[in-house]
Amino acid sequence: MNKRSFIKSAAMLTIAGMTPFDSLGQWISQFSKISAADLAEDENFWEGVRKEYKIKPDYINLENGYYCFLPQETLENYINHIREINYQGAYYMRTVQVENKKKMTSRLAAVAGCSEEELIITRNTTESLDMIIGGLHWKEGDESIMAEQDYGAMQDMFRLVARRYGVVNKVVSVPNHPVSDEEIVNLYANAITEKTRLLMICHIVNITGQILPVRKICDMAHSKGVQVMVDGAHAFTHIRYAIPDLHCDYYGASLHKWLSVPLGAGMLYVKKENIPKVWPLFAEGERREDDISKLNHTGTHPVSTDLAIADAIDFYNKIGAERKELRLRYLQNYWTSKVRTLPHVVLNTPTDPSRSCAIANVGIKGMKPQELAETLLKKYKIYTVAIDGAGVHGCRITPNIYTTPKELDVFVKALIDLG
Ligand SMILES: Cc1ncc(COP(=O)(O)O)c(C=O)c1O
């Protein structure tokens, strides 16, 4: 597409009711005097945000947990990066590629609240965390701890390491409705032995949306000499925190989830003192043992995705971390509060607002999760995902900031009807 047709298509978007690319900041500035808590319920404000997205009319998308597709502004910038890099060819790769990636890491470190010397850009959470699981110096008989509710790919990597080095993996089960942080902390504490080396925890459990008390778990584990690796796939730019405040040793996240970076972007945080403890799985040239870039030799990859990280951060900053988190929690509570007491409904997500945000999981008594997901799609045009295992039987429901209460009303009505 040449510049002319590009401008034309941008104009077409405006004509079609899409907000022009630079409009979000202007829109949001009109609401600058209103608190994030009040804005969480302000449909006029969020209607303006929704216009930034091109929304498929065929179904109500309540499966933003897989990945959060891009708002138009980020998408157009991303396409421009692809176009520009293609135009420059190898020249781009041989001149500013590395420098630009460093700039992106620095922007990302600012959002994560950590030093850029402790952060690398990866392709996803799987790569980030598997590099740690596979890169630690395990000895036969060493123990690791994880939960059956953790993501399958990481559990698989622990199994692989067990086969290779004779590591013993211990698996606990996180209750869907904990009564206190201590209950969760004790669950992990009780699994620790003299031989435990690494504890893996989710920041947000992907199948239920439960937020775990990460800092308390890390402090407990450290008091017993055990390191903690946090799976932050669902937490980064969903809820607010600075990684160092969590006191963890390693933290991985996917940027294509809540930050809405194009597919195939992730990050890995390694606390400075731990960098020498990790053996790179891809060799890098001469590097100091404590230089995190030793873990970042991935070879040629879609560098246009790296560049879109800055665009996604710009979008995120315009929305505002507090506004986003409060809106997402409001949306979850909007529908869960309407169905929580229905006798045929089973909610698999804690009620306490500090223990969940956008994501929740709901089941219907006597109905298989897969059947529920299919019925929601076929009969009500609502797209979700079925979860059926690890003590969780229901559909995961994940709205995003463009989701409207009206859409959630359709979902609530469906749940009522299914009684
Ligand atoms: C908790 C959790 N960890 C890890 C992953 C893997 O993310 P990715 O496929 O981006 O590596 C997911 C994906 O949904 C997840 O939910």
Side-chain angles (χ1 to χ4, degrees):
M1 196 191 289
N2 61 31
K3 198 171 174 195
R4 218 157 156 207
S5 53
F6 173 69
I7 291 167
K8 199 170 150 207
S9 81
M12 297 275 286
L13 284 174
T14 316
I15 291 162
M18 303 295 303
T19 314
F21 307 140
D22 61 349
S23 65
L24 182 63
Q26 278 182 342
W27 173 253
I28 289 180
S29 67
Q30 298 172 49
F31 298 82
S32 59
K33 296 211 167 63
I34 306 177
S35 72
D38 286 341
L39 277 183
E41 304 183 26
D42 187 329
E43 296 316 319
N44 177 34
F45 173 77
W46 293 103
E47 204 46 58
V49 172
R50 183 178 165 94
K51 288 197 178 114
E52 298 293 319
Y53 290 85
K54 185 173 180 186
I55 296 176
K56 198 159 189 256
D58 309 46
Y59 47 76
I60 296 171
N61 184 353
L62 294 180
E63 209 328 45
N64 294 281
Y66 196 134
Y67 92 104
C68 292
F69 67 85
L70 279 51
Q72 289 300 110
E73 176 185 301
T74 311
L75 179 64
E76 295 303 335
N77 285 324
Y78 173 51
I79 293 168
N80 283 339
H81 298 317
I82 297 174
R83 192 178 287 118
E84 182 60 26
I85 291 167
N86 188 62
Y87 182 57
Q88 293 191 26
Y91 180 80
Y92 177 87
M93 304 301 272
R94 291 195 187 278
T95 53
V96 288
Q97 180 202 174
V98 175
E99 195 184 311
N100 279 350
K101 193 159 180 176
K102 274 192 191 143
K103 282 185 195 154
M104 296 304 127
T105 308
S106 164
R107 296 276 326 258
L108 210 48
V111 179
C114 67
S115 153
E116 55 194 70
E117 291 176 7
E118 298 178 307
L119 198 76
I120 54 171
I121 294 170
T122 62
R123 287 174 296 184
N124 46 52
T125 308
T126 306
E127 178 176 298
S128 302
L129 300 186
D130 283 4
M131 265 200 286
I132 300 303
I133 302 167
L136 291 181
H137 299 270
W138 296 101
K139 289 193 306 296
E140 188 171 354
D142 282 347
E143 291 177 5
S144 73
I145 299 171
M146 67 209 72
E148 62 169 337
Q149 290 77 15
D150 288 341
Y151 196 68
M154 280 89 241
Q155 296 194 52
D156 288 341
M157 189 65 186
F158 273 109
R159 285 187 204 109
L160 206 60
V161 159
R163 274 167 53 202
R164 186 169 190 192
Y165 299 105
V167 173
V168 178
N169 296 325
K170 288 193 164 175
V171 182
V172 300
S173 189
V174 175
N176 294 339
H177 297 283
V179 291
S180 64
D181 288 351
E182 285 59 45
E183 183 184 352
I184 304 283
V185 175
N186 288 337
L187 175 78
Y188 285 104
N190 291 338
I192 291 177
T193 73
E194 296 273 281
K195 293 180 174 174
T196 310
R197 296 263 326 272
L198 184 67
L199 183 60
M200 172 171 76
I201 53 170
C202 271
H203 196 165
I204 297 184
V205 177
N206 89 88
I207 51 180
T208 61
Q210 181 178 167
I211 301 172
L212 296 190
V214 172
R215 182 166 169 159
K216 287 184 182 171
I217 297 170
C218 291
D219 290 346
M220 172 280 295
H222 289 160
S223 75
K224 296 171 185 286
V226 174
Q227 293 208 310
V228 183
M229 180 179 84
V230 180
D231 179 342
H234 277 286
F236 189 63
T237 61
H238 172 180
I239 55 174
R240 285 161 298 158
Y241 57 93
I243 295 179
D245 292 345
L246 300 173
H247 294 182
C248 60
D249 297 282
Y250 312 99
Y251 194 99
S254 294
L255 306 178
H256 42 244
K257 289 196 188 281
W258 292 94
L259 190 54
S260 282
V261 171
L263 283 167
M267 67 177 204
L268 170 66
Y269 160 90
V270 182
K271 196 176 178 188
K272 189 83 181 150
E273 69 202 49
N274 292 319
I275 299 169
K277 297 178 186 149
V278 186
W279 182 260
L281 298 184
F282 291 89
E284 179 53 285
E286 283 304 302
R287 288 285 190 282
R288 285 204 330 263
E289 273 297 291
D290 65 349
D291 179 352
I292 195 163
S293 72
K294 74 179 187 180
L295 300 174
N296 210 196
H297 191 118
T298 42
T300 310
H301 61 279
V303 292
S304 36
T305 306
D306 299 341
L307 296 182
I309 291 172
D311 305 310
I313 292 175
D314 288 344
F315 184 84
Y316 171 70
N317 285 341
K318 274 191 259 181
I319 297 291
E322 187 185 16
R323 290 193 200 108
K324 179 173 180 177
E325 178 179 334
L326 298 194
R327 173 63 170 180
L328 290 174
R329 188 169 284 114
Y330 169 79
L331 289 174
Q332 189 250 104
N333 190 55
Y334 180 87
W335 73 266
T336 50
S337 62
K338 290 181 163 56
V339 300
R340 198 171 281 281
T341 53
L342 296 177
H344 63 283
V345 165
V346 183
L347 273 170
N348 298 308
T349 304
T351 321
D352 177 349
S354 70
R355 292 190 198 282
S356 64
C357 193
I359 307 172
N361 182 301
V362 64
I364 297 286
K365 283 181 191 157
M367 195 173 198
K368 287 241 169 244
Q370 193 55 42
E371 192 191 339
L372 174 58
E374 281 165 16
T375 308
L376 286 172
L377 187 58
K378 279 194 196 126
K379 203 163 160 197
Y380 301 94
K381 295 194 181 335
I382 298 171
Y383 188 60
T384 64
V385 59
I387 309 286
D388 201 2
V392 183
H393 309 285
C395 286
R396 181 179 71 180
I397 307 303
T398 317
N400 196 357
I401 51 172
Y402 61 77
T403 305
T404 63
K406 268 191 187 151
E407 289 177 319
L408 295 173
D409 285 339
V410 177
F411 176 57
V412 167
K413 186 174 178 309
L415 291 178
I416 294 169
D417 281 0
L418 292 168

